[in-house]
């Protein structure tokens, strides 16, 4: 067996594990993912699972990352900031609805875990980049004159997340933004 085949098999196994883990999270919730159940669902030995993920926290973190990756991939290019806000809101809402209580559960599960915090920041940065890319150049220039672009995007994203947690469309946020520009 050559190195390419081994690496492809490892990637396939990891994908199978994460798929099984997402399914378990879907059915039982993130907090109820079990290493033995995931190994069985992935058709691999428990010891092999531990070769990929040294503990349950590592598996959960990777599962959360793969769920967010799926949500981020659903975002399509947008050149209207209001529509981009809607797209992010709907993607977050879809994740939270699909994986019941995902937002609150994953935040509490990752609390105090530096690797988890890094993953959350990376996801937030990708969402902020998506939102920023939807702004027209004049709007970006206006923001730069009065505040830090990153802080503005942080404000927007936090309000989208709060709206999603409340299951309340970000109408007020969109009104504020449209009145600013």
């Amino acid at each position: 067996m050559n190195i390419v085949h081994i690496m492809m098999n490892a990637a396939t196994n990891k994908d199978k594990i994460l798929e099984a883990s997402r399914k378990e999270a879907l059915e039982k919730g993130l907090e109820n993912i079990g290493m033995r159940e995931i190994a069985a669902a992935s058709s691999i030995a428990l010891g092999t699972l531990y070769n990929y993920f040294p503990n349950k926290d590592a598996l959960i973190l990777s599962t959360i990352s793969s769920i967010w990756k799926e949500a981020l991939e659903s975002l399509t290019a947008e050149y209207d900031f209001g529509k981009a806000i809607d797209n992010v809101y709907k993607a977050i809402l879809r994740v939270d609805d699909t994986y019941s209580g995902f937002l609150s559960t994953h935040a509490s599960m990752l609390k105090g875990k530096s690797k988890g915090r890094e993953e959350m920041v990376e996801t937030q940065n990708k969402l902020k980049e998506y939102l920023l890319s939807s702004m027209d150049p004049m709007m970006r220039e206006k923001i730069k004159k009065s505040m830090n672009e990153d802080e503005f995007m942080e404000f927007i994203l936090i309000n989208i997340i709060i709206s999603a947690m409340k299951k309340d469309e970000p109408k007020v946020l969109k009104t504020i933004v449209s009145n600013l520009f």
Side-chain angles (χ1 to χ4, degrees):
M1 197 178 284
N2 66 26
I3 190 74
V4 172
H5 183 71
I6 292 170
M7 289 174 63
M8 286 176 60
N9 192 34
T12 302
N13 282 344
K14 192 168 187 175
D15 289 342
K16 281 175 40 179
I17 292 166
L18 289 173
E19 184 179 323
S21 188
R22 282 191 307 271
K23 185 176 180 190
E24 182 107 351
L26 187 63
E27 294 171 1
K28 299 179 182 176
L30 280 171
E31 66 280 3
N32 296 315
I33 291 174
M35 297 294 276
R36 290 184 192 284
E37 292 83 1
I38 299 304
S42 304
S43 303
I44 60 171
L46 183 59
T48 303
L49 177 60
Y50 280 103
N51 287 334
Y52 290 98
F53 303 98
N55 54 46
K56 183 177 172 176
D57 284 347
L59 175 60
I60 289 173
L61 177 61
S62 288
T63 302
I64 289 168
S65 293
S66 72
I67 291 169
W68 276 120
K69 182 179 179 201
E70 196 176 295
L72 291 169
E73 288 172 351
S74 74
L75 296 173
T76 56
E78 190 56 67
Y79 301 101
D80 177 294
F81 193 59
K83 287 181 183 175
I85 288 172
D86 281 336
N87 289 348
V88 171
Y89 168 76
K90 288 174 185 172
I92 292 171
L93 195 61
R94 193 170 36 254
V95 167
D96 199 48
D97 286 345
T98 302
Y99 298 90
S100 183
F102 178 81
L103 290 173
S104 56
T105 303
H106 101 279
S108 65
M109 292 182 82
L110 296 178
K111 198 173 205 170
K113 294 180 175 75
S114 61
K115 182 69 175 157
R117 179 73 185 133
E118 290 170 21
E119 292 285 338
M120 283 176 37
V121 167
E122 185 178 325
T123 299
Q124 289 171 349
N125 286 339
K126 287 178 182 174
L127 288 168
K128 288 191 286 188
E129 286 171 23
Y130 169 77
L131 289 165
L132 197 56
S133 72
S134 71
M135 295 177 87
D136 67 56
M138 288 177 57
M139 187 184 237
R140 286 182 76 164
E141 284 305 312
K142 285 183 181 179
I143 289 171
K144 286 179 185 178
K145 288 179 182 174
S146 59
M147 66 187 84
N148 178 299
E149 230 175 39
D150 190 57
E151 289 171 350
F152 179 73
M153 286 299 126
E154 184 83 15
F155 168 79
I156 298 296
L157 185 56
I158 286 170
N159 280 279
I160 294 170
I161 292 169
I162 290 169
S163 293
M165 290 179 84
K166 291 169 53 178
K167 311 280 191 232
D168 185 26
E169 285 195 41
K171 293 176 192 166
V172 173
L173 177 62
K174 289 178 13 183
T175 300
I176 291 169
V177 169
S178 67
N179 287 333
L180 283 173
F181 307 102

